[in-house]
Amino acid sequence: MASREVVHYETPITKALRWFSVAFIIVYLIWTLLPILVMFASSFKDLLEAFKIPAVGDWAGIGVFFEFTPTLKHYNDLFANLNFSSYILNSLVAAGGSAVISVVLGSMAAYSLSRISFKGKNDLFFWIISTRMAPAVAVMVPLYSIFRSLDLVGTLPGLILAYTTFNLPFAIWILKGFFDNVPYAIEEAQMVDGATRPQALMAILPLVAPGIGAFIVLCILFAWNDFLFAAIIGSGGAKTLPVATRELVQPQNIQWGSIMAAGVVTTVPMMLLGLVIRKYLVTGLTMGAVKE
Amino acid sequence: MTDTVLSDQSIPGQSQGLFRVRQITDNVEARPVPSIATEPKLNPPASRAYFFGLMAPAIALLACISLYPFCWLIYMSLHDVEIGSAVWNNFENFTKLASDSRYLNGWWLLIQYSVMCLALQIGIGVFLAVALNGARFEKILVTTLLMPMMMAPIVAGLVWYFLYNGTFGWYHWLLQSVGILGPKSILASTGTALIGIVIVDVWQWTPLITLITLAGLKRVPQDQLEANMVDGASQVRNFFAITLPNLYPVLVIAVMLRFMDNFRFIDSVLALTGGGPGNATKILPVYLFEVSFKFFKLGRGAAIALTLLVVTIILGMILVRVFDRQQTRKA
């Protein structure tokens, strides 16, 4: 970092720009938070109140948004009548299962890929990453017909496997970057002291543990938020939260209150998890290409 | 490596031939080495086996769930696949694509959709990052901005579907009050539906561009900025002359990632319009979804999927190349 004493001269242009950026940030914040706010508020509103909006052009009428008596009936409905607790369980098992499988197998593979070189390693790598980047719908066409012949459609193991198609390559790719940052010298020192290779690996695990934990969370997030795989592969026996939420939209009767409540139930855990792994988020979402 | 203790060496600086000094070298390498010791190998066969063994389960699993389906995809694309049967049909799946107007339209819409999304996301995202960089409350603000990205795309789509609704949608009310839109919802007319789904994508994923740009901004060399300023450049000039070129590699990555995600995810489109009205938002993945899982023409679907896959893989190759260049530059 160079010296901080460089004088910034305020010209009218920079001043205007500064004010403009502050205004821009405020407007952007409102626009980014408003849908989330509407979702939360509507989930606590009676339907009649949720549908109340002012007349066109009546700016003073915005206040009606805040005029409501909070009710928990939509949440009650979700769990009492719509069986959402079992969908939550399905989501948890599918997302958690695939995340654990992916990260455990993925870190083993990433570790060894980071430690040895062999012919065709780059090709192997490209194959791994391209698996991750393939469009979900395109992957699903053959996967669906294979899974159907194996009777895996509509089961949780099938869904876990389906999620692993995108989580495993992600885990390998991103964890390799992590292991690359751990010097081989540490293991060498361990082995000189008489440790076997597995023991040496155990010795460096604490160094990568936070990252591994964060990427388990990220894998859970990807799987939890998925709709396509769950809708096709999980249809029937393994309905997850996003699919169940979508099913509340029926041609004649869109149950908006329940949809909003289900949206909150689906979203809030992931927002919290996102905060927990905030530090790794950029690395994770850019496949390790950008580090904060 | 020599195995002699004493060696003849000429002392640098002295002319050769006049004196030859016998010098006792003191470095460790020159000491006699026991004859049994050989060069240590970095990867003796045993350890290679160990590493390959560690790698095997993941690679095997990945092969089962990606390589095998890929071969199956090729097989399917060449056959007329019904439930439980497949009949060879002489590349008909592919030849038909050329005259399938919805397929071609799907590509065109996908390109339009991606370009619109990217232009808006990059424009807003970069400006936001520059405005936020070093601002007060930067951390809290950025964390708040992250929230839409954590939302399941399908839920985001449903919430926006609510906001766009022609009778009780707040966003619709806003657009109407400002005078941009008539009483018809943005999703209901063919002319504006695509813009409607672009807005949702921009809402959800602009923060990612902002985050990436912020990470890039932190790496812009301060001394260059200062040197330029000493030379009399204004802040605006500084931004275009130094900050932006430094951001370029990060932005390329951001663009590629978003571009591929637009190919990958159609959740919010399915929630918002399902491809309609008419075919106005039937971008290629949505069309593929419809062909395969609504009409269950899996053979045709496979052919479409294959073309989509090939394009994505090419994009991926470019992306990986950019990654590598980035890595070597850092090293």
Side-chain angles (χ1 to χ4, degrees):
Chain A
M1 185 64 40
S3 70
R4 291 190 155 275
E5 281 92 60
V6 173
V7 184
H8 291 265
Y9 294 102
E10 281 266 274
T11 63
I13 299 174
T14 54
K15 207 171 178 183
L17 264 179
R18 212 161 43 110
W19 281 109
F20 180 66
S21 23
V22 171
F24 188 82
I25 292 176
I26 292 170
V27 170
Y28 190 86
L29 267 183
I30 295 172
W31 123 279
T32 207
L33 289 181
L34 213 59
I36 299 175
L37 183 69
V38 168
M39 180 178 79
F40 273 90
S42 306
S43 75
F44 292 111
K45 281 181 182 178
D46 193 74
L47 269 191
L48 279 178
E49 288 168 333
F51 288 163
K52 222 169 10 181
I53 60 166
V56 174
D58 178 15
W59 295 99
I62 291 180
V64 295
F65 179 73
F66 300 101
E67 288 167 14
F68 65 95
T69 38
T71 159
L72 283 176
K73 69 173 189 183
H74 300 306
Y75 290 93
N76 261 334
D77 205 32
L78 282 189
F79 292 103
N81 305 327
L82 294 167
N83 204 13
F84 259 62
S85 37
S86 75
Y87 304 149
I88 293 182
L89 196 70
N90 282 347
S91 269
L92 270 179
V93 172
S98 96
V100 169
I101 292 178
S102 306
V103 171
V104 169
L105 293 184
S107 52
M108 278 158 55
Y111 168 70
S112 33
L113 279 170
S114 143
R115 291 298 183 248
I116 55 171
S117 60
F118 51 90
K119 228 177 175 179
K121 187 172 154 183
N122 281 338
D123 298 323
L124 184 71
F125 243 29
F126 182 71
W127 169 57
I128 290 172
I129 193 73
S130 64
T131 313
R132 157 76 192 189
M133 286 162 176
V137 206
V139 177
M140 219 144 55
V141 175
L143 214 56
Y144 174 75
S145 74
I146 292 171
F147 277 16
R148 201 177 48 194
S149 64
L150 296 175
D151 272 334
L152 281 172
V153 173
T155 64
L156 278 173
L159 199 53
I160 291 176
L161 267 183
Y163 286 160
T164 309
T165 56
F166 58 81
N167 273 340
L168 182 59
F170 170 77
I172 297 178
W173 177 268
I174 204 134
L175 286 170
K176 170 167 182 291
F178 253 70
F179 282 111
D180 281 347
N181 284 336
V182 179
Y184 188 51
I186 298 179
E187 286 152 84
E188 277 182 329
Q190 291 283 328
M191 287 189 285
V192 167
D193 287 350
T196 60
R197 276 195 181 274
Q199 282 167 341
L201 172 58
M202 287 301 140
I204 62 160
L205 266 190
L207 295 174
V208 285
I212 291 183
F215 293 123
I216 288 187
V217 171
L218 215 54
C219 285
I220 290 180
L221 197 139
F222 290 140
W224 178 282
N225 282 347
D226 162 83
F227 169 73
L228 277 180
F229 281 98
I232 302 300
I233 307 278
S235 67
K239 208 188 283 178
T240 60
L241 274 180
V243 180
T245 309
R246 174 71 213 273
E247 279 182 3
L248 295 172
V249 181
Q250 279 142 15
Q252 295 310 317
N253 170 30
I254 302 182
Q255 307 170 46
W256 280 116
S258 309
I259 290 173
M260 294 299 165
V264 171
V265 171
T266 314
T267 308
V268 167
M270 293 305 115
M271 284 188 174
L272 295 178
L273 284 183
L275 289 183
V276 172
I277 56 158
R278 171 71 188 80
K279 222 176 97 189
Y280 295 93
L281 213 52
V282 177
T283 316
L285 290 173
T286 57
M287 308 287 295
V290 178
K291 291 192 182 68
E292 248 181 328
Chain B
M1 205 143 295
T2 55
D3 53 354
T4 47
V5 187
L6 304 170
S7 62
D8 287 338
Q9 273 189 353
S10 61
I11 292 172
Q14 282 184 328
S15 54
Q16 290 268 330
L18 248 181
F19 299 99
R20 288 180 69 85
V21 183
R22 294 201 90 193
Q23 200 188 30
I24 300 166
T25 49
D26 197 29
N27 50 3
V28 183
E29 281 91 341
R31 283 190 198 143
V33 185
S35 55
I36 12 160
T38 49
E39 281 273 303
K41 280 208 185 87
L42 245 172
N43 287 322
S47 81
R48 277 182 90 85
Y50 166 74
F51 283 124
F52 280 121
L54 270 184
M55 213 184 312
I59 302 296
L61 181 60
L62 203 57
C64 286
I65 56 182
S66 101
L67 211 55
Y68 174 59
F70 182 68
C71 303
W72 190 240
L73 180 70
I74 295 173
Y75 172 83
M76 280 168 76
S77 73
L78 297 171
H79 291 75
D80 215 352
V81 185
E82 293 293 317
I83 306 285
S85 73
V87 185
W88 173 262
N89 69 354
N90 246 339
F91 298 102
E92 211 172 61
N93 289 329
F94 288 101
T95 48
K96 264 189 189 161
L97 286 184
S99 57
D100 183 349
S101 68
R102 274 181 299 173
Y103 171 75
L104 300 172
N105 191 41
W107 273 115
W108 173 230
L109 283 174
L110 181 59
I111 291 167
Q112 274 180 300
Y113 170 68
S114 304
V115 169
M116 272 199 271
C117 285
L118 276 169
L120 284 169
Q121 282 167 359
I122 294 285
I124 300 173
V126 171
F127 185 79
L128 200 62
V130 173
L132 278 172
N133 191 23
R136 228 179 298 170
F137 311 123
E138 185 191 331
K139 272 214 167 119
I140 296 180
L141 287 175
V142 171
T143 309
T144 319
L145 287 180
L146 285 177
M147 288 302 137
M149 292 198 303
M150 300 296 113
M151 214 178 206
I154 190 87
V155 173
L158 287 172
V159 170
W160 276 90
Y161 188 49
F162 181 78
L163 290 170
Y164 279 150
N165 188 291
T167 48
F168 50 79
W170 279 92
Y171 202 74
H172 183 73
W173 173 81
L174 182 71
L175 288 178
Q176 240 183 325
S177 299
V178 177
I180 300 176
L181 214 64
K184 218 172 169 190
S185 163
I186 193 171
L187 297 176
S189 58
T190 42
T192 51
L194 194 63
I195 298 170
I197 62 172
V198 167
I199 288 175
V200 178
D201 196 73
V202 169
W203 173 76
Q204 198 169 18
W205 293 107
T206 302
L208 182 64
I209 307 279
T210 306
L211 271 178
I212 294 175
T213 315
L214 268 174
L217 279 174
K218 306 285 182 212
R219 264 187 265 145
V220 173
Q222 294 295 313
D223 45 352
Q224 284 183 19
L225 285 174
E226 285 170 10
N228 203 27
M229 220 179 266
V230 168
D231 287 348
S234 68
Q235 276 177 323
V236 181
R237 173 87 194 268
N238 236 344
F239 175 77
F240 285 104
I242 292 175
T243 310
L244 211 55
N246 271 303
L247 279 183
Y248 179 70
V250 199
L251 284 181
V252 171
I253 289 175
V255 168
M256 298 296 299
L257 277 170
R258 285 306 308 143
F259 209 70
M260 294 215 289
D261 273 356
N262 278 337
F263 282 50
R264 285 185 60 209
F265 292 116
I266 52 167
D267 300 16
S268 62
V269 183
L270 285 180
L272 285 163
T273 63
N279 291 324
T281 56
K282 206 162 281 173
I283 56 175
L284 193 68
V286 177
Y287 180 55
L288 168 58
F289 183 81
E290 198 174 73
V291 168
S292 313
F293 299 111
K294 223 170 183 175
F295 305 129
F296 283 96
K297 290 186 179 152
L298 290 173
R300 250 169 74 83
I304 299 173
L306 207 58
T307 56
L308 188 63
L309 211 54
V310 167
V311 172
T312 327
I313 287 177
I314 293 171
L315 281 176
M317 272 172 159
I318 301 172
L319 181 63
V320 170
R321 196 148 302 165
V322 177
F323 274 7
D324 284 349
R325 203 176 300 159
Q326 179 97 331
Q327 234 81 55
T328 45
R329 191 175 301 171
K330 247 186 273 166

